[in-house]
Structures are given as structure tokens and as C-alpha cells.
Amino acid sequence: GNSVTQMEGPVTLSEEAFLTINCTYTATGYPSLFWYVQYPGEGLQLLLKATKADDKGSNKGFEATYRKETTSFHLEKGSVQVSDSAVYFCALFSGGYNKLIFGAGTRLAVHP
Amino acid sequence: NAGVTQTPKFRILKIGQSMTLQCTQDMNHNYMYWYRQDPGMGLKLIYYSVGAGITDKGEVPNGYNVSRSTTEDFPLRLELAAPSQTSVYFCASNVGLLGTGNSGANVLTFGAGSRLTVL
């Protein structure tokens, strides 16, 4: 079945460091891909998305490119801030059930 | 515009007790969902609804029930609480079918979550 695999956390970085959080997926067809972010004590919110191969989603300095050849959607940011500390979830849309399938989440901690 | 509101935020139950997690959205969204989040396991879909009067099971529906009498409300009921139901529960909604050309339809709006502990 469809699934999403994320790198395990926690990821601990110093401020202004480069961030990569890996995400790979297994799916039939051409799923839409998403990154959601969960700040402490809050619900998930959409960070960015891509709906077809080679699309690049971007928001708040974060980017992810839909790579069908490697079935990946890695999240990157060039210079992280303390305020980026959160849990990041990769997800794909599963057609036919109108639902998102989530990865396990990756906790990011950014220190000054 | 409050978005998706869940109550309570925290609850401790004894084994065998029952309770209802409330979820209300004020965005006139047709689709609503209940997820549970277990540590290191991501989110699992419990139940979802595509409109008032219509509900369907997700991946992990056992031990739960839902109803959708209005567009706004989608309560989740636990009839006989078990320790395995200790989790954080999230309600979410979206306007329509994910993956359609309407970009708004692809976005789920989540509530802040309800942390439930069963002892």
C-alpha cells in the first residue's frame, strides 16, 4: 500500500545551519505530496506542497522538490532559525479515499 | 474565524469509561477527519466524513464511533476506554476532494489536539 518514510529525529542544529529532512514515499500513480509542520502545543499546518513530478513547493524559506525518479520529497532550508523548531511531517494524498497518509514526523530543534 | 476547535485539550480516563471528544469547524467545510498521533508513529486516520450524515472508517476505527449531524460538528466517541487509546487526537477539515484543481481543497486545517490518557 501507499506509505511515507521520513528520517528519524530528533535533528538538532545551530541557528543559520542548513537543514535537510529526508522523505521517501511508496504509492501507485501520481500522488500529491505535502509537508506539514506542528509547532509546540499546536495542530498541524500546511508548510508546502507539490502536485506533480518536478514541482517545487516553497514557503517561509523551506523548499521541497517532487522527484518521481527517486520517489522523494526532501525538505530543505538554507538557514534555520530558532523559531523553526517544530515537528515536520511528510504526507501524500491517497487517491480514492480522500485522505492524507503521514510519515512518522521528524522533530527539529534549533539552538542559538 | 476560529477554524477547527477541539475540546477538551486534556483528559484522563479510567479503563472502561466513555467520553466524547468534540470538534467544531466554522469554515463550512464538507470534509472532516479524526486522526490519532502516537509517538514515532505519525498520524493514523480513525474516521472521516464527506458531509452531514455521511461517515466512513479510516485505518484504525476499532473502539471509536462518530456522527455527523451537522456540517460544523464531528464528535468522536470512545465507548470503553482502553490503555491502547492513550494518544493525542486531532480533528481536521477541508473544503473538498484532495487532489482536485481547487488548491484550497488540498489543505487540511487541524485543531490544536486533545491529549487523552487512559489509566
Side-chain angles (χ1 to χ4, degrees), chain B:
Chain B
N1 189 340
V4 178
T5 302
Q6 292 182 234
T7 57
K9 290 189 182 301
F10 304 94
R11 184 71 185 271
I12 298 175
L13 285 179
K14 295 182 179 179
I15 294 173
Q17 286 185 320
S18 62
M19 75 160 297
T20 300
L21 299 176
Q22 301 290 345
C23 177
T24 298
Q25 53 92 8
D26 61 0
M27 297 171 287
N28 202 32
H29 285 173
N30 289 321
Y31 292 74
M32 297 187 74
Y33 312 81
W34 274 105
Y35 286 89
R36 58 178 287 172
Q37 181 183 24
D38 299 319
M41 299 295 290
L43 277 75
K44 299 293 186 184
L45 182 66
I46 306 171
Y47 271 95
Y48 68 102
S49 169
V50 301
I54 306 170
T55 63
D56 208 347
K57 296 177 180 178
E59 303 166 83
V60 290
N62 292 342
Y64 306 95
N65 280 300
V66 293
S67 60
R68 186 91 182 273
S69 58
T70 66
T71 299
E72 294 78 17
D73 300 310
F74 190 42
L76 176 73
R77 183 153 180 88
L78 286 70
E79 291 294 349
L80 291 171
S84 61
Q85 293 177 304
T86 294
S87 189
V88 180
Y89 292 84
F90 287 99
C91 181
S93 71
N94 75 304
V95 63
L97 283 173
L98 297 177
T100 64
N102 179 354
S103 62
N106 284 295
V107 178
L108 260 61
T109 301
F110 282 82
S114 299
R115 183 177 295 276
L116 176 65
T117 303
V118 182
L119 301 175

Side-chain angles (χ1 to χ4, degrees), chain A residues 33-54:
Chain A
L33 301 173
F34 305 82
W35 278 100
Y36 277 78
V37 59
Q38 184 182 26
Y39 297 105
E42 299 182 11
L44 282 71
Q45 54 187 278
L46 180 70
L47 180 61
L48 54 84
K49 65 179 183 180
T51 57
K52 61 182 186 294
D54 300 325

Side-chain angles (χ1 to χ4, degrees), chain A residues 38 71 79 84 97 99:
Chain A
Q38 184 182 26
T71 62
S79 176
D84 293 326
Y97 293 93
K99 66 178 183 180

Side-chain angles (χ1 to χ4, degrees), chain A residues 66-79:
Chain A
Y66 189 144
R67 302 286 189 199
K68 187 159 180 64
E69 64 275 14
T70 54
T71 62
S72 65
F73 192 54
H74 304 322
L75 182 68
E76 297 182 334
K77 186 173 186 181
S79 176

Side-chain angles (χ1 to χ4, degrees), chain A residues 16-37:
Chain A
E16 299 184 1
F18 184 84
L19 168 71
T20 298
I21 300 177
N22 290 338
C23 171
T24 57
Y25 67 90
T26 301
T28 55
Y30 301 90
S32 294
L33 301 173
F34 305 82
W35 278 100
Y36 277 78
V37 59

